[in-house]
Amino acid sequence: MDNFDLPPDRAASIRRAEILARKINLLLDTIRSESGQPFEYNAIRDTAQEQSGYYLSRTRWSLLKSGKEQVIPDEALRAIAQVFDVNPEYLLQEDGPLPEQVEAELELLRSMRRAEVRSFAARALGQVDPEALRKIAQILDESA
Protein backbone atom coordinates (compact mmCIF):
# COMPACT_ATOMS: atom_id res chain seq x y z
CA MET A 1 0.00 0.00 0.00
CA ASP A 2 1.45 3.38 -0.98
CA ASN A 3 0.54 6.89 0.14
CA PHE A 4 -2.00 7.18 -2.69
CA ASP A 5 -4.14 4.52 -1.03
CA LEU A 6 -4.17 6.31 2.32
CA PRO A 7 -6.73 8.82 3.50
CA PRO A 8 -5.38 12.37 2.99
CA ASP A 9 -5.01 13.08 6.72
CA ARG A 10 -3.00 9.90 7.24
CA ALA A 11 -0.75 10.63 4.25
CA ALA A 12 -0.18 14.15 5.60
CA SER A 13 0.71 12.73 9.03
CA ILE A 14 3.25 10.37 7.50
CA ARG A 15 4.74 13.18 5.40
CA ARG A 16 4.96 15.43 8.48
CA ALA A 17 6.89 12.73 10.36
CA GLU A 18 9.29 12.28 7.42
CA ILE A 19 9.95 16.03 7.16
CA LEU A 20 10.53 16.31 10.90
CA ALA A 21 12.95 13.37 10.86
CA ARG A 22 14.90 14.89 7.97
CA LYS A 23 15.17 18.24 9.79
CA ILE A 24 16.17 16.64 13.10
CA ASN A 25 18.86 14.55 11.42
CA LEU A 26 20.19 17.60 9.56
CA LEU A 27 20.40 19.47 12.87
CA LEU A 28 22.17 16.52 14.50
CA ASP A 29 24.66 16.40 11.63
CA THR A 30 25.46 20.11 11.66
CA ILE A 31 24.92 21.62 15.10
CA ARG A 32 27.17 20.81 18.03
CA SER A 33 26.51 21.01 21.74
CA GLU A 34 28.12 23.70 23.89
CA SER A 35 31.03 21.32 24.49
CA GLY A 36 31.61 21.10 20.72
CA GLN A 37 30.53 17.45 20.58
CA PRO A 38 27.63 16.03 18.54
CA PHE A 39 24.37 16.00 20.45
CA GLU A 40 23.56 12.73 22.22
CA TYR A 41 20.13 11.75 23.49
CA ASN A 42 20.95 12.45 27.17
CA ALA A 43 22.09 15.99 26.40
CA ILE A 44 19.00 16.63 24.27
CA ARG A 45 16.70 15.24 26.96
CA ASP A 46 18.37 17.24 29.73
CA THR A 47 18.47 20.48 27.74
CA ALA A 48 14.82 20.13 26.72
CA GLN A 49 13.86 19.50 30.35
CA GLU A 50 15.89 22.48 31.61
CA GLN A 51 14.84 24.96 28.95
CA SER A 52 11.19 24.10 28.43
CA GLY A 53 10.19 21.67 31.16
CA TYR A 54 9.40 19.00 28.54
CA TYR A 55 10.62 15.46 29.18
CA LEU A 56 11.64 13.88 25.88
CA SER A 57 11.62 10.11 26.29
CA ARG A 58 14.20 7.96 24.51
CA THR A 59 11.38 6.16 22.70
CA ARG A 60 9.82 9.37 21.36
CA TRP A 61 13.27 10.67 20.34
CA SER A 62 14.01 7.46 18.47
CA LEU A 63 10.65 7.59 16.69
CA LEU A 64 11.14 11.25 15.77
CA LYS A 65 14.61 10.63 14.32
CA SER A 66 13.44 7.64 12.31
CA GLY A 67 10.36 9.39 10.88
CA LYS A 68 7.81 7.05 12.41
CA GLU A 69 4.30 8.42 12.30
CA GLN A 70 3.08 9.56 15.70
CA VAL A 71 1.18 12.31 17.43
CA ILE A 72 3.77 14.97 18.15
CA PRO A 73 2.84 17.36 20.93
CA ASP A 74 3.52 21.03 20.26
CA GLU A 75 5.52 21.05 23.50
CA ALA A 76 7.88 18.46 22.02
CA LEU A 77 8.44 20.56 18.90
CA ARG A 78 9.09 23.68 20.95
CA ALA A 79 11.51 21.79 23.23
CA ILE A 80 13.48 20.35 20.31
CA ALA A 81 13.58 23.77 18.64
CA GLN A 82 14.94 25.30 21.84
CA VAL A 83 17.64 22.65 22.15
CA PHE A 84 18.91 23.43 18.64
CA ASP A 85 18.07 27.15 18.79
CA VAL A 86 15.82 27.09 15.71
CA ASN A 87 12.29 28.25 15.05
CA PRO A 88 9.77 25.45 15.78
CA GLU A 89 8.10 26.13 12.42
CA TYR A 90 11.36 25.23 10.66
CA LEU A 91 11.02 21.67 11.94
CA LEU A 92 7.81 21.11 9.96
CA GLN A 93 8.44 23.20 6.84
CA GLU A 94 9.25 21.12 3.82
CA ASP A 95 10.92 24.08 2.17
CA GLY A 96 12.13 27.37 3.47
CA PRO A 97 15.39 28.88 4.55
CA LEU A 98 17.84 26.94 6.64
CA PRO A 99 18.69 28.33 10.06
CA GLU A 100 21.77 30.54 9.81
CA GLN A 101 23.91 28.22 11.94
CA VAL A 102 23.00 25.19 9.80
CA GLU A 103 23.75 27.08 6.58
CA ALA A 104 27.14 28.18 7.96
CA GLU A 105 28.05 24.62 8.98
CA LEU A 106 27.02 23.23 5.58
CA GLU A 107 29.09 25.88 3.78
CA LEU A 108 32.09 24.99 5.94
CA LEU A 109 31.65 21.29 5.03
CA ARG A 110 31.38 22.15 1.32
CA SER A 111 34.58 24.23 1.52
CA MET A 112 36.42 21.43 3.31
CA ARG A 113 35.31 18.89 0.69
CA ARG A 114 36.41 21.16 -2.17
CA ALA A 115 39.81 21.57 -0.50
CA GLU A 116 40.13 17.79 -0.15
CA VAL A 117 39.28 17.29 -3.84
CA ARG A 118 41.82 19.96 -4.87
CA SER A 119 44.48 18.33 -2.73
CA PHE A 120 43.71 14.88 -4.15
CA ALA A 121 43.79 16.19 -7.72
CA ALA A 122 47.13 17.89 -7.14
CA ARG A 123 48.65 14.69 -5.70
CA ALA A 124 47.14 12.46 -8.41
CA LEU A 125 48.23 14.67 -11.29
CA GLY A 126 51.74 15.12 -9.95
CA GLN A 127 53.70 17.87 -11.64
CA VAL A 128 51.16 20.08 -13.36
CA ASP A 129 51.79 23.68 -14.24
CA PRO A 130 50.24 26.19 -11.82
CA GLU A 131 47.86 27.60 -14.45
CA ALA A 132 46.37 24.15 -15.06
CA LEU A 133 45.90 23.67 -11.29
CA ARG A 134 44.11 27.05 -11.09
CA LYS A 135 41.77 26.02 -13.91
CA ILE A 136 41.02 22.70 -12.21
CA ALA A 137 40.29 24.51 -8.94
CA GLN A 138 38.00 26.94 -10.78
CA ILE A 139 36.06 24.05 -12.35
CA LEU A 140 35.70 22.41 -8.93
CA ASP A 141 34.46 25.66 -7.37
CA GLU A 142 31.94 26.22 -10.18
CA SER A 143 30.51 22.71 -9.84
CA ALA A 144 30.03 23.06 -6.06
Side-chain angles (χ1 to χ4, degrees), residues 87-119:
N87 186 322
E89 292 176 11
Y90 162 75
L91 295 172
L92 298 176
Q93 292 173 339
E94 185 158 7
D95 295 321
L98 290 172
E100 190 175 317
Q101 186 176 1
V102 172
E103 185 64 45
E105 289 292 330
L106 290 174
E107 182 55 38
L108 176 61
L109 289 172
R110 284 190 287 268
S111 295
M112 290 170 55
R113 287 188 183 130
R114 284 192 300 266
E116 287 176 18
V117 170
R118 279 191 207 114
S119 176

PDB file of all heavy atoms in Angstrom, residues 87-119:
ATOM      1  N   ASN A  87      13.706  27.974  14.977  1.00  0.00           N
ATOM      2  CA  ASN A  87      12.287  28.253  15.047  1.00  0.00           C
ATOM      3  C   ASN A  87      11.511  26.934  14.967  1.00  0.00           C
ATOM      4  O   ASN A  87      11.791  26.119  14.085  1.00  0.00           O
ATOM      5  CB  ASN A  87      11.902  29.165  13.875  1.00  0.00           C
ATOM      6  CG  ASN A  87      10.484  29.639  13.926  1.00  0.00           C
ATOM      7  OD1 ASN A  87       9.576  28.907  14.310  1.00  0.00           O
ATOM      8  ND2 ASN A  87      10.283  30.870  13.514  1.00  0.00           N
ATOM      9  N   PRO A  88      10.535  26.712  15.848  1.00  0.00           N
ATOM     10  CA  PRO A  88       9.772  25.451  15.784  1.00  0.00           C
ATOM     11  C   PRO A  88       9.117  25.215  14.424  1.00  0.00           C
ATOM     12  O   PRO A  88       9.000  24.080  13.985  1.00  0.00           O
ATOM     13  CB  PRO A  88       8.712  25.608  16.879  1.00  0.00           C
ATOM     14  CG  PRO A  88       9.241  26.636  17.798  1.00  0.00           C
ATOM     15  CD  PRO A  88      10.111  27.542  16.968  1.00  0.00           C
ATOM     16  N   GLU A  89       8.733  26.284  13.740  1.00  0.00           N
ATOM     17  CA  GLU A  89       8.101  26.133  12.421  1.00  0.00           C
ATOM     18  C   GLU A  89       9.068  25.523  11.411  1.00  0.00           C
ATOM     19  O   GLU A  89       8.656  24.822  10.495  1.00  0.00           O
ATOM     20  CB  GLU A  89       7.576  27.476  11.925  1.00  0.00           C
ATOM     21  CG  GLU A  89       6.415  27.987  12.757  1.00  0.00           C
ATOM     22  CD  GLU A  89       5.961  29.365  12.325  1.00  0.00           C
ATOM     23  OE1 GLU A  89       6.398  29.845  11.249  1.00  0.00           O
ATOM     24  OE2 GLU A  89       5.167  29.961  13.063  1.00  0.00           O
ATOM     25  N   TYR A  90      10.353  25.797  11.562  1.00  0.00           N
ATOM     26  CA  TYR A  90      11.359  25.232  10.657  1.00  0.00           C
ATOM     27  C   TYR A  90      11.293  23.708  10.653  1.00  0.00           C
ATOM     28  O   TYR A  90      11.461  23.070   9.613  1.00  0.00           O
ATOM     29  CB  TYR A  90      12.764  25.699  11.065  1.00  0.00           C
ATOM     30  CG  TYR A  90      13.857  24.840  10.461  1.00  0.00           C
ATOM     31  CD1 TYR A  90      14.194  24.966   9.116  1.00  0.00           C
ATOM     32  CD2 TYR A  90      14.522  23.883  11.217  1.00  0.00           C
ATOM     33  CE1 TYR A  90      15.175  24.169   8.545  1.00  0.00           C
ATOM     34  CE2 TYR A  90      15.511  23.084  10.657  1.00  0.00           C
ATOM     35  CZ  TYR A  90      15.819  23.227   9.325  1.00  0.00           C
ATOM     36  OH  TYR A  90      16.784  22.429   8.763  1.00  0.00           O
ATOM     37  N   LEU A  91      11.022  23.124  11.816  1.00  0.00           N
ATOM     38  CA  LEU A  91      11.025  21.666  11.936  1.00  0.00           C
ATOM     39  C   LEU A  91       9.959  20.994  11.077  1.00  0.00           C
ATOM     40  O   LEU A  91      10.100  19.829  10.717  1.00  0.00           O
ATOM     41  CB  LEU A  91      10.834  21.258  13.400  1.00  0.00           C
ATOM     42  CG  LEU A  91      11.958  21.669  14.346  1.00  0.00           C
ATOM     43  CD1 LEU A  91      11.564  21.371  15.792  1.00  0.00           C
ATOM     44  CD2 LEU A  91      13.253  20.978  13.986  1.00  0.00           C
ATOM     45  N   LEU A  92       8.903  21.719  10.725  1.00  0.00           N
ATOM     46  CA  LEU A  92       7.815  21.109   9.964  1.00  0.00           C
ATOM     47  C   LEU A  92       7.694  21.641   8.542  1.00  0.00           C
ATOM     48  O   LEU A  92       6.875  21.150   7.773  1.00  0.00           O
ATOM     49  CB  LEU A  92       6.489  21.318  10.704  1.00  0.00           C
ATOM     50  CG  LEU A  92       6.422  20.670  12.083  1.00  0.00           C
ATOM     51  CD1 LEU A  92       5.113  21.029  12.774  1.00  0.00           C
ATOM     52  CD2 LEU A  92       6.588  19.161  11.992  1.00  0.00           C
ATOM     53  N   GLN A  93       8.500  22.645   8.181  1.00  0.00           N
ATOM     54  CA  GLN A  93       8.444  23.201   6.839  1.00  0.00           C
ATOM     55  C   GLN A  93       9.218  22.314   5.876  1.00  0.00           C
ATOM     56  O   GLN A  93      10.383  22.016   6.119  1.00  0.00           O
ATOM     57  CB  GLN A  93       9.072  24.599   6.801  1.00  0.00           C
ATOM     58  CG  GLN A  93       8.319  25.639   7.544  1.00  0.00           C
ATOM     59  CD  GLN A  93       9.096  26.949   7.585  1.00  0.00           C
ATOM     60  OE1 GLN A  93      10.304  26.986   7.413  1.00  0.00           O
ATOM     61  NE2 GLN A  93       8.381  28.031   7.823  1.00  0.00           N
ATOM     62  N   GLU A  94       8.547  21.937   4.814  1.00  0.00           N
ATOM     63  CA  GLU A  94       9.253  21.119   3.819  1.00  0.00           C
ATOM     64  C   GLU A  94      10.325  21.948   3.120  1.00  0.00           C
ATOM     65  O   GLU A  94      11.430  21.494   2.887  1.00  0.00           O
ATOM     66  CB  GLU A  94       8.270  20.562   2.797  1.00  0.00           C
ATOM     67  CG  GLU A  94       8.936  19.617   1.839  1.00  0.00           C
ATOM     68  CD  GLU A  94       7.948  18.686   1.194  1.00  0.00           C
ATOM     69  OE1 GLU A  94       6.736  18.831   1.363  1.00  0.00           O
ATOM     70  OE2 GLU A  94       8.422  17.772   0.506  1.00  0.00           O
ATOM     71  N   ASP A  95       9.979  23.169   2.800  1.00  0.00           N
ATOM     72  CA  ASP A  95      10.922  24.082   2.165  1.00  0.00           C
ATOM     73  C   ASP A  95      11.135  25.262   3.101  1.00  0.00           C
ATOM     74  O   ASP A  95      10.589  25.314   4.177  1.00  0.00           O
ATOM     75  CB  ASP A  95      10.363  24.568   0.824  1.00  0.00           C
ATOM     76  CG  ASP A  95      10.214  23.436  -0.178  1.00  0.00           C
ATOM     77  OD1 ASP A  95      11.094  22.569  -0.218  1.00  0.00           O
ATOM     78  OD2 ASP A  95       9.210  23.424  -0.918  1.00  0.00           O
ATOM     79  N   GLY A  96      11.885  26.190   2.647  1.00  0.00           N
ATOM     80  CA  GLY A  96      12.129  27.369   3.468  1.00  0.00           C
ATOM     81  C   GLY A  96      13.603  27.492   3.773  1.00  0.00           C
ATOM     82  O   GLY A  96      14.384  26.567   3.560  1.00  0.00           O
ATOM     83  N   PRO A  97      13.965  28.645   4.289  1.00  0.00           N
ATOM     84  CA  PRO A  97      15.387  28.885   4.548  1.00  0.00           C
ATOM     85  C   PRO A  97      15.911  28.034   5.696  1.00  0.00           C
ATOM     86  O   PRO A  97      15.193  27.721   6.643  1.00  0.00           O
ATOM     87  CB  PRO A  97      15.429  30.376   4.918  1.00  0.00           C
ATOM     88  CG  PRO A  97      14.057  30.680   5.410  1.00  0.00           C
ATOM     89  CD  PRO A  97      13.134  29.772   4.663  1.00  0.00           C
ATOM     90  N   LEU A  98      17.169  27.663   5.564  1.00  0.00           N
ATOM     91  CA  LEU A  98      17.836  26.940   6.642  1.00  0.00           C
ATOM     92  C   LEU A  98      18.184  27.921   7.751  1.00  0.00           C
ATOM     93  O   LEU A  98      18.467  29.090   7.476  1.00  0.00           O
ATOM     94  CB  LEU A  98      19.135  26.307   6.131  1.00  0.00           C
ATOM     95  CG  LEU A  98      19.005  25.141   5.178  1.00  0.00           C
ATOM     96  CD1 LEU A  98      20.377  24.779   4.619  1.00  0.00           C
ATOM     97  CD2 LEU A  98      18.398  23.945   5.865  1.00  0.00           C
ATOM     98  N   PRO A  99      18.202  27.463   8.985  1.00  0.00           N
ATOM     99  CA  PRO A  99      18.695  28.333  10.056  1.00  0.00           C
ATOM    100  C   PRO A  99      20.125  28.760   9.743  1.00  0.00           C
ATOM    101  O   PRO A  99      20.901  28.009   9.149  1.00  0.00           O
ATOM    102  CB  PRO A  99      18.645  27.442  11.301  1.00  0.00           C
ATOM    103  CG  PRO A  99      17.599  26.427  10.995  1.00  0.00           C
ATOM    104  CD  PRO A  99      17.726  26.180   9.511  1.00  0.00           C
ATOM    105  N   GLU A 100      20.468  29.968  10.131  1.00  0.00           N
ATOM    106  CA  GLU A 100      21.775  30.544   9.808  1.00  0.00           C
ATOM    107  C   GLU A 100      22.926  29.641  10.243  1.00  0.00           C
ATOM    108  O   GLU A 100      23.893  29.442   9.503  1.00  0.00           O
ATOM    109  CB  GLU A 100      21.897  31.912  10.480  1.00  0.00           C
ATOM    110  CG  GLU A 100      23.089  32.710  10.033  1.00  0.00           C
ATOM    111  CD  GLU A 100      23.092  34.095  10.632  1.00  0.00           C
ATOM    112  OE1 GLU A 100      22.037  34.741  10.677  1.00  0.00           O
ATOM    113  OE2 GLU A 100      24.176  34.519  11.062  1.00  0.00           O
ATOM    114  N   GLN A 101      22.834  29.073  11.428  1.00  0.00           N
ATOM    115  CA  GLN A 101      23.914  28.225  11.938  1.00  0.00           C
ATOM    116  C   GLN A 101      24.069  26.959  11.083  1.00  0.00           C
ATOM    117  O   GLN A 101      25.173  26.530  10.798  1.00  0.00           O
ATOM    118  CB  GLN A 101      23.644  27.846  13.393  1.00  0.00           C
ATOM    119  CG  GLN A 101      24.781  27.087  14.028  1.00  0.00           C
ATOM    120  CD  GLN A 101      24.529  26.812  15.502  1.00  0.00           C
ATOM    121  OE1 GLN A 101      23.503  27.169  16.055  1.00  0.00           O
ATOM    122  NE2 GLN A 101      25.473  26.151  16.132  1.00  0.00           N
ATOM    123  N   VAL A 102      22.959  26.387  10.648  1.00  0.00           N
ATOM    124  CA  VAL A 102      23.005  25.190   9.804  1.00  0.00           C
ATOM    125  C   VAL A 102      23.626  25.540   8.455  1.00  0.00           C
ATOM    126  O   VAL A 102      24.490  24.815   7.952  1.00  0.00           O
ATOM    127  CB  VAL A 102      21.599  24.580   9.624  1.00  0.00           C
ATOM    128  CG1 VAL A 102      21.606  23.467   8.596  1.00  0.00           C
ATOM    129  CG2 VAL A 102      21.058  24.090  10.958  1.00  0.00           C
ATOM    130  N   GLU A 103      23.203  26.650   7.871  1.00  0.00           N
ATOM    131  CA  GLU A 103      23.752  27.078   6.585  1.00  0.00           C
ATOM    132  C   GLU A 103      25.262  27.304   6.683  1.00  0.00           C
ATOM    133  O   GLU A 103      26.015  26.885   5.808  1.00  0.00           O
ATOM    134  CB  GLU A 103      23.066  28.361   6.115  1.00  0.00           C
ATOM    135  CG  GLU A 103      23.492  28.797   4.728  1.00  0.00           C
ATOM    136  CD  GLU A 103      23.110  27.821   3.636  1.00  0.00           C
ATOM    137  OE1 GLU A 103      21.974  27.328   3.628  1.00  0.00           O
ATOM    138  OE2 GLU A 103      23.973  27.548   2.779  1.00  0.00           O
ATOM    139  N   ALA A 104      25.704  27.929   7.765  1.00  0.00           N
ATOM    140  CA  ALA A 104      27.140  28.175   7.955  1.00  0.00           C
ATOM    141  C   ALA A 104      27.909  26.859   8.075  1.00  0.00           C
ATOM    142  O   ALA A 104      28.986  26.710   7.484  1.00  0.00           O
ATOM    143  CB  ALA A 104      27.358  29.039   9.194  1.00  0.00           C
ATOM    144  N   GLU A 105      27.382  25.915   8.819  1.00  0.00           N
ATOM    145  CA  GLU A 105      28.055  24.618   8.976  1.00  0.00           C
ATOM    146  C   GLU A 105      28.113  23.870   7.646  1.00  0.00           C
ATOM    147  O   GLU A 105      29.132  23.255   7.321  1.00  0.00           O
ATOM    148  CB  GLU A 105      27.350  23.764  10.031  1.00  0.00           C
ATOM    149  CG  GLU A 105      27.529  24.250  11.443  1.00  0.00           C
ATOM    150  CD  GLU A 105      28.960  24.110  11.940  1.00  0.00           C
ATOM    151  OE1 GLU A 105      29.681  23.197  11.510  1.00  0.00           O
ATOM    152  OE2 GLU A 105      29.361  24.940  12.775  1.00  0.00           O
ATOM    153  N   LEU A 106      27.034  23.909   6.882  1.00  0.00           N
ATOM    154  CA  LEU A 106      27.020  23.227   5.585  1.00  0.00           C
ATOM    155  C   LEU A 106      28.013  23.871   4.624  1.00  0.00           C
ATOM    156  O   LEU A 106      28.689  23.177   3.866  1.00  0.00           O
ATOM    157  CB  LEU A 106      25.609  23.228   4.994  1.00  0.00           C
ATOM    158  CG  LEU A 106      24.604  22.339   5.709  1.00  0.00           C
ATOM    159  CD1 LEU A 106      23.212  22.538   5.116  1.00  0.00           C
ATOM    160  CD2 LEU A 106      25.004  20.875   5.635  1.00  0.00           C
ATOM    161  N   GLU A 107      28.122  25.196   4.641  1.00  0.00           N
ATOM    162  CA  GLU A 107      29.091  25.883   3.778  1.00  0.00           C
ATOM    163  C   GLU A 107      30.515  25.504   4.177  1.00  0.00           C
ATOM    164  O   GLU A 107      31.364  25.275   3.316  1.00  0.00           O
ATOM    165  CB  GLU A 107      28.907  27.395   3.830  1.00  0.00           C
ATOM    166  CG  GLU A 107      29.852  28.139   2.909  1.00  0.00           C
ATOM    167  CD  GLU A 107      29.789  27.701   1.452  1.00  0.00           C
ATOM    168  OE1 GLU A 107      28.687  27.407   0.947  1.00  0.00           O
ATOM    169  OE2 GLU A 107      30.864  27.617   0.820  1.00  0.00           O
ATOM    170  N   LEU A 108      30.766  25.405   5.469  1.00  0.00           N
ATOM    171  CA  LEU A 108      32.087  24.990   5.937  1.00  0.00           C
ATOM    172  C   LEU A 108      32.405  23.575   5.429  1.00  0.00           C
ATOM    173  O   LEU A 108      33.510  23.313   4.931  1.00  0.00           O
ATOM    174  CB  LEU A 108      32.149  25.025   7.460  1.00  0.00           C
ATOM    175  CG  LEU A 108      33.450  24.520   8.091  1.00  0.00           C
ATOM    176  CD1 LEU A 108      34.637  25.361   7.651  1.00  0.00           C
ATOM    177  CD2 LEU A 108      33.327  24.496   9.607  1.00  0.00           C
ATOM    178  N   LEU A 109      31.440  22.661   5.523  1.00  0.00           N
ATOM    179  CA  LEU A 109      31.651  21.294   5.032  1.00  0.00           C
ATOM    180  C   LEU A 109      31.917  21.277   3.531  1.00  0.00           C
ATOM    181  O   LEU A 109      32.800  20.560   3.057  1.00  0.00           O
ATOM    182  CB  LEU A 109      30.435  20.422   5.361  1.00  0.00           C
ATOM    183  CG  LEU A 109      30.247  20.064   6.820  1.00  0.00           C
ATOM    184  CD1 LEU A 109      28.904  19.364   7.029  1.00  0.00           C
ATOM    185  CD2 LEU A 109      31.377  19.183   7.317  1.00  0.00           C
ATOM    186  N   ARG A 110      31.155  22.085   2.770  1.00  0.00           N
ATOM    187  CA  ARG A 110      31.378  22.149   1.319  1.00  0.00           C
ATOM    188  C   ARG A 110      32.785  22.652   1.016  1.00  0.00           C
ATOM    189  O   ARG A 110      33.479  22.112   0.149  1.00  0.00           O
ATOM    190  CB  ARG A 110      30.331  23.051   0.657  1.00  0.00           C
ATOM    191  CG  ARG A 110      28.965  22.413   0.513  1.00  0.00           C
ATOM    192  CD  ARG A 110      28.039  23.252  -0.352  1.00  0.00           C
ATOM    193  NE  ARG A 110      27.583  24.452   0.314  1.00  0.00           N
ATOM    194  CZ  ARG A 110      26.460  24.561   1.023  1.00  0.00           C
ATOM    195  NH1 ARG A 110      25.672  23.516   1.157  1.00  0.00           N
ATOM    196  NH2 ARG A 110      26.122  25.701   1.582  1.00  0.00           N
ATOM    197  N   SER A 111      33.231  23.681   1.736  1.00  0.00           N
ATOM    198  CA  SER A 111      34.583  24.226   1.525  1.00  0.00           C
ATOM    199  C   SER A 111      35.646  23.184   1.825  1.00  0.00           C
ATOM    200  O   SER A 111      36.622  23.045   1.088  1.00  0.00           O
ATOM    201  CB  SER A 111      34.802  25.446   2.417  1.00  0.00           C
ATOM    202  OG  SER A 111      33.943  26.476   2.051  1.00  0.00           O
ATOM    203  N   MET A 112      35.451  22.458   2.934  1.00  0.00           N
ATOM    204  CA  MET A 112      36.423  21.433   3.307  1.00  0.00           C
ATOM    205  C   MET A 112      36.472  20.329   2.258  1.00  0.00           C
ATOM    206  O   MET A 112      37.557  19.855   1.901  1.00  0.00           O
ATOM    207  CB  MET A 112      36.072  20.862   4.682  1.00  0.00           C
ATOM    208  CG  MET A 112      36.310  21.869   5.804  1.00  0.00           C
ATOM    209  SD  MET A 112      35.650  21.379   7.411  1.00  0.00           S
ATOM    210  CE  MET A 112      36.405  19.789   7.674  1.00  0.00           C
ATOM    211  N   ARG A 113      35.337  19.945   1.722  1.00  0.00           N
ATOM    212  CA  ARG A 113      35.315  18.894   0.693  1.00  0.00           C
ATOM    213  C   ARG A 113      35.999  19.368  -0.578  1.00  0.00           C
ATOM    214  O   ARG A 113      36.736  18.613  -1.218  1.00  0.00           O
ATOM    215  CB  ARG A 113      33.882  18.462   0.421  1.00  0.00           C
ATOM    216  CG  ARG A 113      33.329  17.635   1.545  1.00  0.00           C
ATOM    217  CD  ARG A 113      31.988  17.046   1.211  1.00  0.00           C
ATOM    218  NE  ARG A 113      31.489  16.322   2.359  1.00  0.00           N
ATOM    219  CZ  ARG A 113      30.286  16.465   2.872  1.00  0.00           C
ATOM    220  NH1 ARG A 113      29.434  17.298   2.319  1.00  0.00           N
ATOM    221  NH2 ARG A 113      29.908  15.775   3.918  1.00  0.00           N
ATOM    222  N   ARG A 114      35.733  20.629  -0.968  1.00  0.00           N
ATOM    223  CA  ARG A 114      36.407  21.158  -2.168  1.00  0.00           C
ATOM    224  C   ARG A 114      37.916  21.163  -1.969  1.00  0.00           C
ATOM    225  O   ARG A 114      38.672  20.817  -2.875  1.00  0.00           O
ATOM    226  CB  ARG A 114      35.893  22.563  -2.485  1.00  0.00           C
ATOM    227  CG  ARG A 114      34.513  22.574  -3.127  1.00  0.00           C
ATOM    228  CD  ARG A 114      34.170  23.936  -3.699  1.00  0.00           C
ATOM    229  NE  ARG A 114      34.164  25.003  -2.721  1.00  0.00           N
ATOM    230  CZ  ARG A 114      33.090  25.440  -2.055  1.00  0.00           C
ATOM    231  NH1 ARG A 114      31.925  24.872  -2.263  1.00  0.00           N
ATOM    232  NH2 ARG A 114      33.180  26.439  -1.208  1.00  0.00           N
ATOM    233  N   ALA A 115      38.364  21.544  -0.782  1.00  0.00           N
ATOM    234  CA  ALA A 115      39.807  21.566  -0.505  1.00  0.00           C
ATOM    235  C   ALA A 115      40.387  20.160  -0.581  1.00  0.00           C
ATOM    236  O   ALA A 115      41.493  19.964  -1.108  1.00  0.00           O
ATOM    237  CB  ALA A 115      40.074  22.187   0.870  1.00  0.00           C
ATOM    238  N   GLU A 116      39.650  19.170  -0.079  1.00  0.00           N
ATOM    239  CA  GLU A 116      40.129  17.786  -0.152  1.00  0.00           C
ATOM    240  C   GLU A 116      40.243  17.324  -1.598  1.00  0.00           C
ATOM    241  O   GLU A 116      41.208  16.656  -1.972  1.00  0.00           O
ATOM    242  CB  GLU A 116      39.179  16.862   0.608  1.00  0.00           C
ATOM    243  CG  GLU A 116      39.248  16.989   2.113  1.00  0.00           C
ATOM    244  CD  GLU A 116      38.215  16.129   2.821  1.00  0.00           C
ATOM    245  OE1 GLU A 116      37.677  15.188   2.205  1.00  0.00           O
ATOM    246  OE2 GLU A 116      37.935  16.416   3.987  1.00  0.00           O
ATOM    247  N   VAL A 117      39.253  17.687  -2.428  1.00  0.00           N
ATOM    248  CA  VAL A 117      39.277  17.290  -3.839  1.00  0.00           C
ATOM    249  C   VAL A 117      40.449  17.963  -4.545  1.00  0.00           C
ATOM    250  O   VAL A 117      41.166  17.332  -5.323  1.00  0.00           O
ATOM    251  CB  VAL A 117      37.938  17.620  -4.532  1.00  0.00           C
ATOM    252  CG1 VAL A 117      38.035  17.439  -6.036  1.00  0.00           C
ATOM    253  CG2 VAL A 117      36.824  16.754  -3.968  1.00  0.00           C
ATOM    254  N   ARG A 118      40.675  19.259  -4.262  1.00  0.00           N
ATOM    255  CA  ARG A 118      41.816  19.960  -4.871  1.00  0.00           C
ATOM    256  C   ARG A 118      43.129  19.283  -4.487  1.00  0.00           C
ATOM    257  O   ARG A 118      44.005  19.070  -5.320  1.00  0.00           O
ATOM    258  CB  ARG A 118      41.842  21.417  -4.409  1.00  0.00           C
ATOM    259  CG  ARG A 118      40.917  22.301  -5.147  1.00  0.00           C
ATOM    260  CD  ARG A 118      41.217  23.759  -4.798  1.00  0.00           C
ATOM    261  NE  ARG A 118      40.014  24.519  -4.967  1.00  0.00           N
ATOM    262  CZ  ARG A 118      39.348  25.119  -3.990  1.00  0.00           C
ATOM    263  NH1 ARG A 118      39.801  25.083  -2.769  1.00  0.00           N
ATOM    264  NH2 ARG A 118      38.257  25.780  -4.248  1.00  0.00           N
ATOM    265  N   SER A 119      43.256  18.956  -3.214  1.00  0.00           N
ATOM    266  CA  SER A 119      44.480  18.325  -2.732  1.00  0.00           C
ATOM    267  C   SER A 119      44.688  16.972  -3.400  1.00  0.00           C
ATOM    268  O   SER A 119      45.791  16.642  -3.842  1.00  0.00           O
ATOM    269  CB  SER A 119      44.417  18.170  -1.210  1.00  0.00           C
ATOM    270  OG  SER A 119      45.538  17.485  -0.731  1.00  0.00           O
TER     271      SER A 119
END
